[in-house]
Amino acid sequence: MSRFQSVDRQTGYLLPPSLDEWLPQDHLARFIVEVVDRLDVSGAGECQDFCV
């Protein structure tokens, strides 16, 4: 009984190598990434007054 699995080398990728190739320029995901990149999260790890 062999533990190896056969492989079909002609099978393409499940996802494209780069999402830039897959998403259109006007896709909502591109806008969300741009907004998140601009967020100021410098204080996100700091404890505020309500921390115990």
Side-chain angles (χ1 to χ4, degrees), residues 28-46:
L28 180 62
R30 292 184 185 272
F31 171 75
I32 293 172
V33 167
E34 187 174 328
V35 168
V36 169
D37 283 343
R38 293 181 182 191
L39 290 176
D40 179 18
V41 294
S42 59
E46 297 177 12

